[in-house]
Amino acid sequence: MTEIRRLWNGALPPIPEGPLESLRALAGDELYEVCACFWLFRYLHGAEDEECTLMGDFCFGRFSKHMSDLDSVPLTDAFAEYLSRDTVLCRDWKDYCDFVRGLERII
């Protein structure tokens, strides 16, 4: 998140601190970075603005780096399944929180 915060600029909406703090409590230390980067990727892509899309792509890159560090095929599969459904159903914050709560059984 340090790199994301460093590059976040005034052309973007304010960093959603409230949801990120809630996510920290749900995901725990081991999964926070991966969950936060993934959520920011989806959040920014929902804005349909070029600057937001580019930053969302950067967030996805950070998500991928954190996933690589965790080296978990089941976790990768879970995020891939979530993304597949989210692109069709446009899931909301509550759905994402429910998804994150379920990740503890995977790790």
Side-chain angles (χ1 to χ4, degrees), residues 53-68:
T53 298
L54 289 172
M55 187 61 170
D57 290 349
F58 180 76
C59 292
F60 188 80
R62 300 303 300 160
F63 160 78
S64 296
K65 188 258 186 242
H66 294 300
M67 286 295 290
S68 177

Side-chain angles (χ1 to χ4, degrees), residues 10 28 35 107:
C35 291
I107 294 290

Side-chain angles (χ1 to χ4, degrees), residues 14-35:
I15 294 177
E17 298 293 354
L20 288 174
E21 283 307 310
S22 297
L23 198 53
R24 183 180 298 281
L26 288 175
D29 291 338
E30 185 177 20
L31 295 176
Y32 173 72
E33 294 287 333
V34 73
C35 291

